[in-house]
Amino acid sequence: MDRGAQELPGTRLPAWLRLLPWLTMVLLVIVQLTTPESVQLGFAFAVVPPLTSLVYGRLGTALVAGTLFVLLLLPAIRADDVSYGDLIAFVLIGAVSVLLAWLRARRDAQLVSVRTVAQAAQFAVLPPLPERVGPVRCGALYRAAERGTLVGGDLYDVRDGPYGVRAVVADVQGHGLAAVGTVAALLGTFREAVLDEPELGGVAARLDRRLVVDAAARGGLHGEVFATAVLMEFPAGDAGAVGAGAGGGDASAAVRVLSCGHPAPLLVRGDGAREVALEPGAPLGLGLAEFRPPPAVVVPLGPKDVLLAHTDGVTEARDATGSFYPLAARVPRDAEAPVELVRSVWRDLSAYAGVIGDDVALLALSAPGRVSART
């Protein structure tokens, strides 16, 4: 699984920024030596230690401040208006800068610790997806809209169970950290339903009930928590293949697809990509009197075909002219591996839209061999 983790600001500085205090000191010395004696730049040296405290720790700041103090002791560099009292002031400025550097380094360490815990929690909600789940090859990519987060308002998962390999791609209301609770609830419910529900519609009904219960627990209207979702199933046993030849090696996987208000996945083949024709269904969590998922559509999937599911963050991304991203027209047709496909789509989407303001989730599935029966 490919997920975009953002670097914690301030934890890794570019090399030129770490050289800035030394370069500033050298520049001031050169200017002081090459300008007339009437030009006094002693006050300018005082900015170097505080500047250093922004990019170095206490030892580095002390080294820069000490080097600066030694330079100011040299008569050729020290300006005539710099008295010994001023030198004491420089020492105090250096000491305060060392203290500031220590406080900044301590704060950065705390931020790194908090970020590490947050990443572990988010990976627990949406763990990395393996490249193969049972007989199904997988490729997934996630980019959260909120900077510094790994989980937003989109989700996906692929699980192997007694009824076959099942997958979900969903988009919950909102995005960012506010939606993580709903994402965690849906993922937990999906993983249980994969083991218990013999029909794909039963899985959808369980997800809908989870959202309705959560909305009621919040004390608000049912419509306050909703999600769109597409469910996919590679059935177990002989029902999972159609058109098998004598040896069974050229069989096509029969994938069942069901959508609850979610964009239809794309069937990517060598001759192009097209949306899977699905019967539309209501989104999850609307609190309807009786939730009835739409019937699942059976889609034959050849050994080289890839089923690409996505969230609306992909198709609603715009270029500089305001045009939406035409996923079906631009999806690469020569990427047979699901991992290669999702990464190619992301590179093209990034080049097309530049800045993407919504969560993006891509899930590609393929079955290069026949789905074998359970033993």
Side-chain angles (χ1 to χ4, degrees), residues 39 103 120 139 156 183 187 245 263 271 274 287 307 309 316 366:
V39 179
L103 292 175
Y156 55 74
V183 169
L187 285 172
D271 57 351
R274 63 174 179 84
L307 194 65
E316 292 183 1
S366 69

Side-chain angles (χ1 to χ4, degrees), residues 118-333:
Q119 284 187 351
Q122 293 177 78
F123 272 118
V125 173
L126 193 63
L129 185 67
E131 293 188 12
R132 183 178 289 271
V133 176
V136 178
R137 298 178 65 188
C138 311
L141 183 142
Y142 195 104
R143 292 293 186 273
E146 188 169 333
R147 180 175 176 83
T149 62
L150 301 177
V151 180
D154 294 352
L155 63 97
Y156 55 74
D157 200 5
V158 182
R159 294 283 162 165
D160 195 2
Y163 305 105
V165 177
R166 288 170 170 173
V168 62
V169 175
D171 185 356
V172 307
Q173 176 192 19
H175 58 79
L177 293 177
V180 173
T182 305
V183 169
L186 282 178
L187 285 172
T189 303
F190 170 77
R191 291 161 186 169
E192 290 183 357
V194 163
L195 302 176
D196 301 335
E197 296 292 339
E199 299 295 333
L200 204 57
V203 178
R206 291 272 290 269
L207 296 176
D208 176 77
R209 186 178 64 180
R210 175 75 270 165
L211 292 182
V212 171
V213 171
D214 286 354
R218 296 183 185 185
L221 298 176
H222 290 319
E224 289 181 345
V225 181
F226 65 90
T228 65
V230 60
L231 298 169
M232 295 158 284
E233 177 186 79
F234 294 76
D238 292 338
V242 296
D250 296 328
S252 297
V255 185
R256 297 188 179 119
V257 185
L258 181 154
S259 175
C260 297
H262 198 82
L266 297 180
L267 182 59
V268 183
R269 290 174 168 167
D271 57 351
R274 63 174 179 84
E275 283 191 355
V276 176
L278 299 176
E279 183 172 333
L284 305 171
L286 295 183
L288 303 177
E290 183 179 358
F291 176 76
R292 292 183 178 179
V297 174
V298 178
V299 181
L301 194 66
K304 294 186 178 181
D305 297 342
V306 180
L307 194 65
L308 177 64
H310 59 89
T311 55
D312 58 10
V314 177
T315 52
E316 292 183 1
R318 300 171 182 259
D319 63 3
T321 65
S323 300
F324 291 110
Y325 179 70
L327 176 61
R330 297 177 67 102
V331 65
R333 305 174 186 178

Side-chain angles (χ1 to χ4, degrees), residues 32 34-41 79-81:
Q32 184 66 55
T34 57
T35 54
E37 295 183 358
S38 58
V39 179
Q40 305 296 335
L41 298 177
D80 294 337
D81 61 342

